[in-house]
Amino acid sequence: MTRLTAPFLDDPALKQVLAALSAEGAQALIVGGAVRNALLGEPVADVDIATSARPGETLRLAETAGLRTVPTGIDHGTITVIAGGRGFEVTSFRRDVETFGRRAVVAYSDRIEEDAQRRDFTMNAIYATSTGEVLDPVGGLEDLARRRLRFVGDPHDRISEDYLRILRFFRFLAWYGREAELQAVAACGELREGLARISRERIGYEIRRLLNAPDPSPSVALMTETGVLTQVLPGADASDLPELVEAEHEYGTGALTAWPRRLALLAPPDAAEALRLSRDETRTQDQIAQALTMPAPVAAYHFGRAVAAQSVLIRAARGETPPFGWCHRLARGAEAKFPLTARDLMPQLSGPALGQALRRAEAAYIDSDFTLPREALLQIALQPEAGS
Protein backbone atom coordinates (compact mmCIF):
# COMPACT_ATOMS: atom_id res chain seq x y z
CA MET A 1 0.00 0.00 0.00
CA THR A 2 1.29 3.45 -0.92
CA ARG A 3 1.01 6.01 1.85
CA LEU A 4 1.28 9.74 1.40
CA THR A 5 3.31 11.78 3.86
CA ALA A 6 2.77 15.49 3.40
CA PRO A 7 2.62 18.47 5.76
CA PHE A 8 -0.89 19.42 4.62
CA LEU A 9 -2.26 16.19 6.15
CA ASP A 10 -1.59 17.75 9.56
CA ASP A 11 -3.44 20.96 8.69
CA PRO A 12 -6.13 21.42 11.39
CA ALA A 13 -8.46 23.20 8.95
CA LEU A 14 -8.27 20.35 6.42
CA LYS A 15 -8.81 17.80 9.17
CA GLN A 16 -11.87 19.72 10.31
CA VAL A 17 -13.41 19.69 6.83
CA LEU A 18 -12.69 16.00 6.21
CA ALA A 19 -14.08 15.05 9.63
CA ALA A 20 -17.26 17.07 9.03
CA LEU A 21 -17.90 15.45 5.64
CA SER A 22 -17.32 11.91 6.89
CA ALA A 23 -19.21 12.33 10.18
CA GLU A 24 -22.16 10.25 8.95
CA GLY A 25 -20.24 7.68 6.91
CA ALA A 26 -19.62 9.43 3.59
CA GLN A 27 -16.21 9.18 1.97
CA ALA A 28 -14.13 12.37 1.93
CA LEU A 29 -10.88 12.14 -0.02
CA ILE A 30 -8.11 14.52 -1.07
CA VAL A 31 -7.72 14.40 -4.84
CA GLY A 32 -5.89 15.91 -7.78
CA GLY A 33 -3.03 18.36 -7.67
CA ALA A 34 -2.32 18.16 -3.94
CA VAL A 35 -1.86 14.39 -4.07
CA ARG A 36 0.08 14.51 -7.35
CA ASN A 37 2.47 17.22 -6.19
CA ALA A 38 3.03 15.69 -2.77
CA LEU A 39 3.96 12.36 -4.36
CA LEU A 40 6.36 14.18 -6.71
CA GLY A 41 7.87 16.27 -3.91
CA GLU A 42 6.55 19.45 -5.54
CA PRO A 43 4.98 22.40 -3.66
CA VAL A 44 1.28 22.04 -2.88
CA ALA A 45 -0.99 25.06 -3.25
CA ASP A 46 -4.70 24.26 -3.01
CA VAL A 47 -6.16 21.08 -1.54
CA ASP A 48 -9.30 19.79 -3.29
CA ILE A 49 -11.68 17.25 -1.82
CA ALA A 50 -13.95 14.68 -3.44
CA THR A 51 -16.81 13.17 -1.48
CA SER A 52 -19.54 10.62 -1.84
CA ALA A 53 -21.87 13.07 -0.06
CA ARG A 54 -24.34 14.82 -2.37
CA PRO A 55 -24.17 18.63 -2.53
CA GLY A 56 -27.10 19.04 -0.17
CA GLU A 57 -25.46 16.69 2.30
CA THR A 58 -22.19 18.57 2.01
CA LEU A 59 -23.95 21.82 2.92
CA ARG A 60 -25.73 20.22 5.86
CA LEU A 61 -22.67 18.38 7.20
CA ALA A 62 -20.45 21.46 6.97
CA GLU A 63 -23.00 23.72 8.64
CA THR A 64 -23.60 21.16 11.39
CA ALA A 65 -19.86 21.30 12.11
CA GLY A 66 -20.05 25.10 12.28
CA LEU A 67 -18.28 25.66 8.94
CA ARG A 68 -19.30 28.33 6.48
CA THR A 69 -20.09 27.27 2.91
CA VAL A 70 -20.17 29.02 -0.46
CA PRO A 71 -22.11 27.29 -3.30
CA THR A 72 -19.45 28.20 -5.90
CA GLY A 73 -20.47 25.51 -8.39
CA ILE A 74 -23.35 23.73 -6.77
CA ASP A 75 -24.99 22.94 -10.15
CA HIS A 76 -21.91 20.84 -10.91
CA GLY A 77 -21.64 19.42 -7.41
CA THR A 78 -18.97 21.82 -6.09
CA ILE A 79 -19.18 23.71 -2.81
CA THR A 80 -16.43 25.71 -1.11
CA VAL A 81 -16.17 24.96 2.59
CA ILE A 82 -14.42 27.57 4.72
CA ALA A 83 -12.25 26.46 7.63
CA GLY A 84 -9.39 28.26 9.33
CA GLY A 85 -10.05 31.25 7.12
CA ARG A 86 -9.34 29.25 3.95
CA GLY A 87 -11.57 27.74 1.30
CA PHE A 88 -11.55 24.04 0.38
CA GLU A 89 -13.27 23.08 -2.86
CA VAL A 90 -15.46 20.04 -2.22
CA THR A 91 -17.00 18.18 -5.17
CA SER A 92 -19.38 15.26 -5.01
CA PHE A 93 -18.41 12.04 -6.81
CA ARG A 94 -19.84 12.23 -10.32
CA ARG A 95 -20.21 10.21 -13.47
CA ASP A 96 -20.96 11.56 -16.93
CA VAL A 97 -24.28 10.72 -18.51
CA GLU A 98 -23.87 12.87 -21.63
CA THR A 99 -21.17 15.35 -22.63
CA PHE A 100 -21.37 18.39 -24.91
CA GLY A 101 -17.89 19.91 -24.77
CA ARG A 102 -17.79 22.05 -21.63
CA ARG A 103 -21.43 21.26 -20.89
CA ALA A 104 -22.06 17.83 -19.43
CA VAL A 105 -25.02 16.05 -17.94
CA VAL A 106 -23.72 14.38 -14.78
CA ALA A 107 -25.17 12.06 -12.20
CA TYR A 108 -23.86 11.78 -8.69
CA SER A 109 -22.14 8.57 -7.71
CA ASP A 110 -21.14 6.65 -4.61
CA ARG A 111 -18.13 5.07 -6.31
CA ILE A 112 -14.65 6.52 -6.52
CA GLU A 113 -14.04 4.44 -9.66
CA GLU A 114 -16.78 6.32 -11.54
CA ASP A 115 -15.52 9.67 -10.29
CA ALA A 116 -11.99 8.85 -11.46
CA GLN A 117 -13.20 7.94 -14.96
CA ARG A 118 -14.38 11.50 -15.69
CA ARG A 119 -11.08 13.15 -14.75
CA ASP A 120 -8.57 14.25 -17.36
CA PHE A 121 -5.18 12.60 -16.67
CA THR A 122 -4.32 9.53 -14.65
CA MET A 123 -1.85 11.50 -12.50
CA ASN A 124 -4.74 13.79 -11.52
CA ALA A 125 -7.01 10.88 -10.58
CA ILE A 126 -5.10 9.72 -7.50
CA TYR A 127 -6.90 10.05 -4.16
CA ALA A 128 -5.73 10.05 -0.54
CA THR A 129 -7.55 9.52 2.73
CA SER A 130 -7.17 11.77 5.74
CA THR A 131 -4.50 9.39 7.07
CA GLY A 132 -2.51 9.41 3.82
CA GLU A 133 -3.62 6.07 2.35
CA VAL A 134 -3.38 6.42 -1.44
CA LEU A 135 -6.22 5.14 -3.66
CA ASP A 136 -5.40 4.66 -7.34
CA PRO A 137 -8.45 3.61 -9.42
CA VAL A 138 -6.95 4.21 -12.90
CA GLY A 139 -3.24 3.41 -12.62
CA GLY A 140 -2.02 6.92 -12.03
CA LEU A 141 0.73 5.93 -9.60
CA GLU A 142 2.72 4.03 -12.22
CA ASP A 143 2.33 6.89 -14.69
CA LEU A 144 3.40 9.39 -12.06
CA ALA A 145 6.49 7.33 -11.19
CA ARG A 146 7.47 7.33 -14.87
CA ARG A 147 6.42 10.96 -15.31
CA ARG A 148 4.22 9.67 -18.13
CA LEU A 149 1.25 11.81 -19.09
CA ARG A 150 -1.79 9.77 -20.07
CA PHE A 151 -5.47 10.55 -20.40
CA VAL A 152 -7.96 8.59 -18.33
CA GLY A 153 -9.59 6.19 -20.77
CA ASP A 154 -9.78 7.03 -24.47
CA PRO A 155 -7.95 10.29 -25.33
CA HIS A 156 -10.48 11.18 -28.02
CA ASP A 157 -13.34 10.91 -25.52
CA ARG A 158 -11.59 13.03 -22.88
CA ILE A 159 -10.65 15.73 -25.39
CA SER A 160 -14.11 15.80 -26.95
CA GLU A 161 -15.55 16.53 -23.50
CA ASP A 162 -13.46 19.71 -23.35
CA TYR A 163 -11.06 20.68 -26.14
CA LEU A 164 -9.06 22.84 -23.75
CA ARG A 165 -7.68 19.55 -22.45
CA ILE A 166 -5.36 19.61 -25.48
CA LEU A 167 -3.55 22.62 -24.06
CA ARG A 168 -3.78 21.24 -20.53
CA PHE A 169 -2.04 18.12 -21.85
CA PHE A 170 0.93 20.12 -23.09
CA ARG A 171 0.99 22.27 -19.95
CA PHE A 172 1.04 19.24 -17.64
CA LEU A 173 3.67 17.63 -19.84
CA ALA A 174 5.87 20.72 -19.44
CA TRP A 175 5.45 20.86 -15.67
CA TYR A 176 5.25 17.22 -14.59
CA GLY A 177 6.00 14.89 -17.49
CA ARG A 178 8.97 13.36 -19.22
CA GLU A 179 7.02 11.00 -21.44
CA ALA A 180 3.79 11.52 -23.38
CA GLU A 181 1.56 8.62 -24.34
CA LEU A 182 1.67 8.34 -28.13
CA GLN A 183 -2.10 7.84 -28.44
CA ALA A 184 -2.64 11.01 -26.44
CA VAL A 185 -0.26 13.04 -28.62
CA ALA A 186 -1.92 11.75 -31.78
CA ALA A 187 -5.39 12.60 -30.45
CA CYS A 188 -4.29 16.15 -29.59
CA GLY A 189 -3.14 16.66 -33.16
CA GLU A 190 -6.19 15.06 -34.75
CA LEU A 191 -8.66 17.10 -32.66
CA ARG A 192 -6.74 20.41 -32.57
CA GLU A 193 -9.33 22.28 -34.62
CA GLY A 194 -11.70 21.89 -31.70
CA LEU A 195 -9.66 24.57 -29.94
CA ALA A 196 -11.40 27.09 -32.20
CA ARG A 197 -14.47 26.55 -29.99
CA ILE A 198 -12.61 27.55 -26.83
CA SER A 199 -12.61 31.14 -25.59
CA ARG A 200 -9.39 33.03 -26.08
CA GLU A 201 -9.30 33.94 -22.39
CA ARG A 202 -9.10 30.24 -21.46
CA ILE A 203 -6.48 29.61 -24.15
CA GLY A 204 -4.44 32.56 -22.91
CA TYR A 205 -4.57 31.25 -19.35
CA GLU A 206 -3.19 27.88 -20.41
CA ILE A 207 -0.47 29.33 -22.64
CA ARG A 208 0.77 31.64 -19.87
CA ARG A 209 1.04 28.73 -17.43
CA LEU A 210 2.65 26.48 -20.04
CA LEU A 211 5.30 29.06 -20.93
CA ASN A 212 6.04 29.61 -17.22
CA ALA A 213 7.20 26.00 -16.81
CA PRO A 214 10.89 25.57 -15.94
CA ASP A 215 11.57 24.27 -19.46
CA PRO A 216 8.57 24.30 -21.78
CA SER A 217 10.63 23.76 -24.95
CA PRO A 218 10.14 19.97 -25.38
CA SER A 219 6.39 20.34 -24.87
CA VAL A 220 6.16 23.33 -27.22
CA ALA A 221 8.19 21.41 -29.82
CA LEU A 222 5.59 18.64 -29.62
CA MET A 223 2.86 21.25 -30.03
CA THR A 224 4.61 22.39 -33.20
CA GLU A 225 4.85 18.84 -34.55
CA THR A 226 1.14 18.17 -33.97
CA GLY A 227 -0.01 21.51 -35.41
CA VAL A 228 -1.44 22.63 -32.07
CA LEU A 229 0.88 25.64 -31.76
CA THR A 230 -0.15 26.97 -35.16
CA GLN A 231 -3.79 26.37 -34.27
CA VAL A 232 -3.65 28.68 -31.23
CA LEU A 233 -0.78 31.01 -32.24
CA PRO A 234 -0.53 31.26 -36.02
CA GLY A 235 2.92 32.40 -37.12
CA ALA A 236 4.66 31.51 -33.86
CA ASP A 237 8.23 30.21 -34.22
CA ALA A 238 9.53 28.14 -31.29
CA SER A 239 12.80 27.04 -32.89
CA ASP A 240 14.95 29.17 -30.54
CA LEU A 241 13.04 28.34 -27.36
CA PRO A 242 15.58 25.73 -26.10
CA GLU A 243 18.35 28.30 -26.53
CA LEU A 244 16.32 30.87 -24.58
CA VAL A 245 15.90 28.48 -21.66
CA GLU A 246 19.65 27.84 -21.77
CA ALA A 247 20.37 31.59 -21.82
CA GLU A 248 18.09 32.06 -18.81
CA HIS A 249 20.15 29.55 -16.87
CA GLU A 250 23.46 31.03 -18.01
CA TYR A 251 22.72 34.71 -17.47
CA GLY A 252 19.98 34.57 -14.84
CA THR A 253 16.56 36.15 -14.85
CA GLY A 254 16.24 37.68 -11.39
CA ALA A 255 12.58 38.12 -10.55
CA LEU A 256 11.48 38.43 -14.18
CA THR A 257 8.39 36.41 -15.08
CA ALA A 258 9.22 33.85 -17.76
CA TRP A 259 6.20 33.78 -20.04
CA PRO A 260 6.35 37.35 -21.46
CA ARG A 261 9.85 36.93 -22.92
CA ARG A 262 9.12 33.40 -24.11
CA LEU A 263 5.99 34.62 -25.86
CA ALA A 264 7.97 37.52 -27.34
CA LEU A 265 10.50 34.99 -28.67
CA LEU A 266 7.70 33.01 -30.33
CA ALA A 267 6.62 36.34 -31.86
CA PRO A 268 3.13 35.39 -33.05
CA PRO A 269 1.82 38.35 -35.09
CA ASP A 270 -1.41 38.78 -33.14
CA ALA A 271 -0.69 37.47 -29.66
CA ALA A 272 -2.73 40.16 -27.92
CA GLU A 273 -5.92 39.11 -29.69
CA ALA A 274 -5.18 35.37 -29.82
CA LEU A 275 -4.58 35.17 -26.07
CA ARG A 276 -6.72 38.10 -24.92
CA LEU A 277 -3.74 39.78 -23.29
CA SER A 278 -4.44 42.64 -20.93
CA ARG A 279 -3.50 46.18 -21.85
CA ASP A 280 -0.37 46.01 -19.67
CA GLU A 281 0.61 42.62 -21.08
CA THR A 282 0.16 43.90 -24.64
CA ARG A 283 2.27 46.95 -23.88
CA THR A 284 5.04 44.74 -22.52
CA GLN A 285 5.02 42.61 -25.68
CA ASP A 286 5.20 45.75 -27.84
CA GLN A 287 8.05 47.17 -25.75
CA ILE A 288 10.08 43.95 -25.91
CA ALA A 289 9.63 43.92 -29.70
CA GLN A 290 10.87 47.52 -29.91
CA ALA A 291 13.72 46.82 -27.49
CA LEU A 292 15.00 44.13 -29.84
CA THR A 293 15.57 46.81 -32.50
CA MET A 294 17.89 49.00 -30.38
CA PRO A 295 20.95 48.67 -28.13
CA ALA A 296 20.00 47.21 -24.76
CA PRO A 297 21.03 50.29 -22.69
CA VAL A 298 18.89 52.47 -24.96
CA ALA A 299 16.00 50.04 -24.47
CA ALA A 300 16.50 50.33 -20.70
CA TYR A 301 16.42 54.12 -21.01
CA HIS A 302 13.14 54.07 -22.94
CA PHE A 303 11.33 51.09 -21.38
CA GLY A 304 13.04 50.26 -18.10
CA ARG A 305 15.50 47.63 -17.00
CA ALA A 306 13.07 44.68 -16.95
CA VAL A 307 12.03 45.01 -20.59
CA ALA A 308 15.63 45.56 -21.69
CA ALA A 309 16.76 42.46 -19.78
CA GLN A 310 14.08 40.39 -21.52
CA SER A 311 15.42 41.57 -24.88
CA VAL A 312 19.01 40.69 -23.89
CA LEU A 313 17.98 37.11 -23.12
CA ILE A 314 16.10 36.79 -26.40
CA ARG A 315 19.13 38.11 -28.32
CA ALA A 316 21.33 35.59 -26.49
CA ALA A 317 18.98 32.82 -27.60
CA ARG A 318 19.45 34.02 -31.16
CA GLY A 319 23.23 33.88 -30.91
CA GLU A 320 24.15 37.39 -29.74
CA THR A 321 26.39 37.12 -26.67
CA PRO A 322 25.60 39.84 -24.12
CA PRO A 323 28.48 42.33 -23.82
CA PHE A 324 30.66 42.40 -20.73
CA GLY A 325 29.02 44.32 -17.92
CA TRP A 326 25.61 44.32 -19.57
CA CYS A 327 23.74 44.33 -16.26
CA HIS A 328 25.58 47.50 -15.20
CA ARG A 329 24.91 49.10 -18.57
CA LEU A 330 21.21 48.33 -18.33
CA ALA A 331 21.09 49.85 -14.87
CA ARG A 332 22.86 52.96 -16.19
CA GLY A 333 20.36 53.34 -19.01
CA ALA A 334 17.34 52.75 -16.76
CA GLU A 335 18.53 55.30 -14.22
CA ALA A 336 19.47 57.98 -16.76
CA LYS A 337 17.29 61.10 -16.72
CA PHE A 338 17.42 63.45 -19.67
CA PRO A 339 18.21 66.77 -17.99
CA LEU A 340 16.40 69.11 -20.42
CA THR A 341 12.74 70.06 -20.68
CA ALA A 342 10.87 72.22 -23.17
CA ARG A 343 10.86 75.07 -20.64
CA ASP A 344 14.68 75.17 -20.75
CA LEU A 345 14.56 76.13 -24.44
CA MET A 346 11.82 78.73 -24.24
CA PRO A 347 11.33 81.46 -25.34
CA GLN A 348 14.24 81.01 -27.75
CA LEU A 349 12.44 78.12 -29.47
CA SER A 350 8.79 77.23 -29.94
CA GLY A 351 6.55 75.05 -32.08
CA PRO A 352 8.11 72.34 -34.29
CA ALA A 353 11.59 73.80 -33.81
CA LEU A 354 11.31 73.21 -30.06
CA GLY A 355 10.44 69.54 -30.51
CA GLN A 356 13.23 69.04 -33.04
CA ALA A 357 15.78 70.63 -30.71
CA LEU A 358 14.78 68.40 -27.81
CA ARG A 359 14.99 65.29 -29.95
CA ARG A 360 18.42 66.36 -31.27
CA ALA A 361 19.75 66.91 -27.76
CA GLU A 362 18.28 63.66 -26.46
CA ALA A 363 19.88 61.71 -29.31
CA ALA A 364 23.24 63.23 -28.39
CA TYR A 365 22.64 62.36 -24.73
CA ILE A 366 21.96 58.73 -25.63
CA ASP A 367 24.98 58.57 -27.99
CA SER A 368 27.20 59.80 -25.14
CA ASP A 369 26.14 56.84 -23.02
CA PHE A 370 24.05 59.24 -20.94
CA THR A 371 27.08 61.30 -19.86
CA LEU A 372 26.67 64.72 -21.55
CA PRO A 373 25.94 67.42 -18.96
CA ARG A 374 23.04 69.83 -19.13
CA GLU A 375 25.12 72.75 -20.40
CA ALA A 376 26.46 70.78 -23.37
CA LEU A 377 22.97 69.55 -24.21
CA LEU A 378 21.66 73.13 -24.14
CA GLN A 379 24.27 74.14 -26.68
CA ILE A 380 23.36 71.23 -28.94
CA ALA A 381 19.67 72.01 -28.66
CA LEU A 382 20.06 75.73 -29.38
CA GLN A 383 22.59 75.48 -32.19
CA PRO A 384 21.06 76.01 -35.63
CA GLU A 385 20.45 72.84 -37.59
CA ALA A 386 22.70 72.29 -40.57
CA GLY A 387 21.12 73.62 -43.71
CA SER A 388 18.66 75.87 -41.89
Side-chain angles (χ1 to χ4, degrees):
M1 177 193 300
T2 300
R3 187 166 291 277
L4 181 68
T5 57
F8 67 76
L9 289 174
D10 296 321
D11 177 5
L14 175 62
K15 286 183 173 182
Q16 189 178 11
V17 174
L18 293 174
L21 294 171
S22 58
E24 297 180 10
Q27 274 189 298
L29 303 170
I30 304 155
V31 67
V35 180
R36 177 198 66 227
N37 284 22
L39 290 168
L40 290 173
E42 299 279 351
V44 172
D46 299 323
V47 177
D48 294 333
I49 298 169
T51 180
S52 59
R54 303 298 193 261
E57 293 177 82
T58 297
L59 289 170
R60 180 179 58 79
L61 290 166
E63 291 167 2
T64 298
L67 301 175
R68 190 164 64 88
T69 59
V70 181
T72 43
I74 194 167
D75 290 344
H76 304 286
T78 300
I79 292 159
T80 299
V81 179
I82 312 296
R86 304 197 316 281
F88 295 87
E89 193 172 273
V90 178
T91 304
S92 298
F93 290 169
R94 297 173 296 179
R95 60 183 175 84
D96 287 329
V97 178
E98 295 179 65
T99 58
F100 309 92
R102 282 288 286 173
R103 295 179 294 112
V105 177
V106 299
Y108 297 115
S109 173
D110 297 316
R111 301 181 59 232
I112 184 178
E113 293 81 6
E114 289 186 328
D115 187 70
Q117 285 296 327
R118 70 180 309 277
R119 295 183 179 271
D120 51 9
F121 310 118
T122 59
M123 64 171 61
N124 290 341
I126 306 173
Y127 302 72
T129 67
S130 60
T131 59
E133 179 187 349
V134 173
L135 308 177
D136 181 25
V138 292
L141 279 173
E142 181 184 350
D143 289 331
L144 196 63
R146 293 177 55 175
R147 296 275 187 145
R148 175 177 60 191
L149 190 60
R150 184 166 65 89
F151 282 102
V152 174
D154 184 271
H156 291 80
D157 291 343
R158 296 291 81 74
I159 292 171
S160 297
E161 290 165 0
D162 183 358
Y163 288 101
L164 191 70
R165 284 177 171 170
I166 294 172
L167 295 186
R168 283 176 57 83
F169 179 85
F170 291 107
R171 169 164 69 88
F172 276 80
L173 182 63
W175 278 97
Y176 306 112
R178 297 193 191 101
E179 175 188 342
E181 184 191 40
L182 294 180
Q183 283 180 295
V185 174
C188 288
E190 291 163 11
L191 299 176
R192 65 185 183 275
E193 292 182 2
L195 286 165
R197 308 180 190 180
I198 302 299
S199 75
R200 293 174 183 180
E201 288 84 359
R202 295 180 71 213
I203 289 174
Y205 175 81
E206 290 295 330
I207 293 295
R208 288 176 182 86
R209 297 184 74 183
L210 164 62
L211 292 179
N212 257 344
D215 182 4
S217 52
S219 186
V220 174
L222 203 55
M223 290 175 69
T224 301
E225 291 177 23
T226 56
V228 171
L229 186 64
T230 298
Q231 179 69 38
V232 293
L233 288 175
D237 181 359
S239 55
D240 291 329
L241 188 55
E243 287 73 20
L244 177 57
V245 174
E246 184 178 337
E248 292 167 353
H249 288 298
E250 183 172 355
Y251 300 109
T253 61
L256 296 175
T257 303
W259 75 261
R261 73 175 158 274
R262 292 170 176 177
L263 179 60
L265 176 85
L266 300 182
D270 198 15
E273 181 62 22
L275 304 180
R276 283 289 194 267
L277 300 183
S278 71
R279 187 173 300 175
D280 286 345
E281 291 167 345
T282 301
R283 182 171 61 251
T284 297
Q285 290 298 303
D286 292 342
Q287 289 178 346
I288 294 174
Q290 293 180 63
L292 288 167
T293 68
M294 59 184 70
V298 179
Y301 172 73
H302 286 299
F303 307 121
R305 186 173 181 175
V307 167
Q310 305 276 40
S311 73
V312 168
L313 292 168
I314 292 172
R315 290 174 192 228
R318 293 171 176 168
E320 184 179 322
T321 302
F324 179 78
W326 65 274
C327 287
H328 174 73
R329 296 188 65 197
L330 290 195
R332 185 184 184 91
E335 294 165 6
K337 304 295 181 187
F338 183 52
L340 293 187
T341 67
R343 183 172 295 179
D344 294 322
L345 306 181
M346 298 167 64
Q348 296 97 319
L349 298 174
S350 62
L354 176 59
Q356 292 168 7
L358 281 171
R359 287 191 292 272
R360 185 167 63 249
E362 186 174 31
Y365 179 63
I366 292 170
D367 288 343
S368 74
D369 199 22
F370 317 107
T371 60
L372 277 177
R374 182 174 182 277
E375 292 73 18
L377 294 170
L378 274 172
Q379 290 182 6
I380 293 170
L382 294 172
Q383 70 185 9
E385 276 197 275
S388 62

